């Protein structure tokens, strides 16, 4: 009786393995060429509202990304900087600089995403296009903030870019409101 116990386990393991293998192959019955042909056919047959929906989603995504960028920049860069949290000897300086560095990287990431989203709407695209070089110039400011090397001009660049993106959104009918991201969003990028 003791010798049949391990055999039962082996039989159960084999049966379960076969069941998983059969279900996996059953789910993947279509070939890749069939799937890609179906996707190509679906994409090539435009519906009358496809471009209107795409533009609406572009504006919605733009507003969400730009709002998160604005909220992060104001909450963790501009506001602490104006309060003197980045000055040497300030209480909580290290923590404020680390948060500012994360917020700088997050802000750059969300502004780049907002810039890409703007390309889906003609009016928004025209409004945001002049800002793309300025957004690109923010790339290294996150690490500069984290190291405590940022000055008035650097923080002013963040403010200028955020205000420029907000103005562009307002002119294109996509008003942007600050949305402070959670700590998880900030650290996750």
């Amino acid at each position: 009786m003791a010798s049949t116990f391990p055999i039962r386990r082996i039989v159960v393991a084999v049966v379960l393995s076969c069941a998983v293998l059969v279900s996996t192959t059953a789910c993947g019955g279509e070939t890749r060429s069939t799937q890609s042909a179906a996707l190509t056919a679906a994409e090539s047959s435009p519906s009358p509202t496809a471009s209107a929906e795409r533009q609406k989603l572009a504006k919605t995504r733009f507003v969400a990304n730009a709002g998160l960028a604005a909220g992060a920049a104001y909450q963790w860069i501009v506001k602490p900087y104006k309060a003197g949290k980045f000055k040497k000897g300030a209480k909580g300086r290290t923590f404020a600089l680390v948060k500012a560095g994360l917020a700088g990287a997050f802000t750059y990431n969300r502004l780049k995403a907002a810039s890409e989203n703007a390309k889906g709407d003609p009016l928004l695209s025209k409004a945001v296009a002049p800002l793309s070089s300025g957004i690109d110039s923010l790339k290294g400011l996150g690490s500069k903030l984290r190291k405590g090397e940022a000055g008035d001009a650097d923080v002013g660049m963040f403010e200028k870019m955020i205000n420029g993106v907000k103005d562009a959104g307002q002119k294109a009918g996509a008003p942007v409101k600050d949305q402070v991201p959670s700590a998880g969003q900030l650290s996750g990028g």
Side-chain angles (χ1 to χ4, degrees):
M1 194 176 217
S3 66
T4 60
F5 184 67
I7 293 174
R8 283 187 203 161
R9 284 188 180 174
I10 292 172
V11 169
V12 169
V14 169
V15 169
L16 287 175
S17 297
C18 290
V20 169
L21 182 63
V22 168
S23 66
T24 306
T25 56
C27 291
E30 273 188 11
T31 63
R32 288 189 189 268
S33 62
T34 307
Q35 289 173 344
S36 63
L39 287 175
T40 306
E43 290 171 352
S44 66
S45 59
S47 65
T49 59
S51 66
E53 287 176 18
R54 194 171 294 131
Q55 286 178 4
K56 185 175 181 179
L57 288 176
K59 278 187 176 182
T60 303
R61 288 179 179 158
F62 170 82
V63 168
N65 283 319
L68 285 169
Y74 180 74
Q75 184 70 28
W76 287 301
I77 297 172
V78 175
K79 196 164 116 180
Y81 184 79
K82 288 182 177 180
K85 296 267 185 178
F86 298 161
K87 292 182 180 177
K88 289 189 181 198
K91 185 176 180 180
R93 178 179 186 253
T94 304
F95 189 57
L97 288 173
V98 169
K99 285 193 296 187
L102 287 171
F106 179 85
T107 299
Y108 169 74
N109 183 307
R110 293 299 86 208
L111 285 175
K112 284 298 279 184
S115 177
E116 285 298 313
N117 298 143
K119 291 177 183 176
D121 181 72
L123 187 59
L124 198 52
S125 179
K126 287 178 188 174
V128 174
L131 302 172
S132 20
S133 64
I135 292 170
D136 289 337
S137 70
L138 298 176
K139 188 173 187 173
L141 285 180
S143 63
K144 199 172 181 180
L145 283 164
R146 193 170 41 251
K147 293 176 185 174
E149 300 170 352
D152 289 337
D154 299 318
V155 174
M157 279 184 66
F158 270 111
E159 270 189 302
K160 180 181 174 186
M161 287 313 308
I162 295 296
N163 290 335
V165 169
K166 284 176 148 182
D167 290 344
Q170 185 72 34
K171 289 176 186 173
V176 176
K177 293 185 175 122
D178 292 6
Q179 298 174 358
V180 179
S182 68
Q185 286 175 313
L186 192 65
S187 65

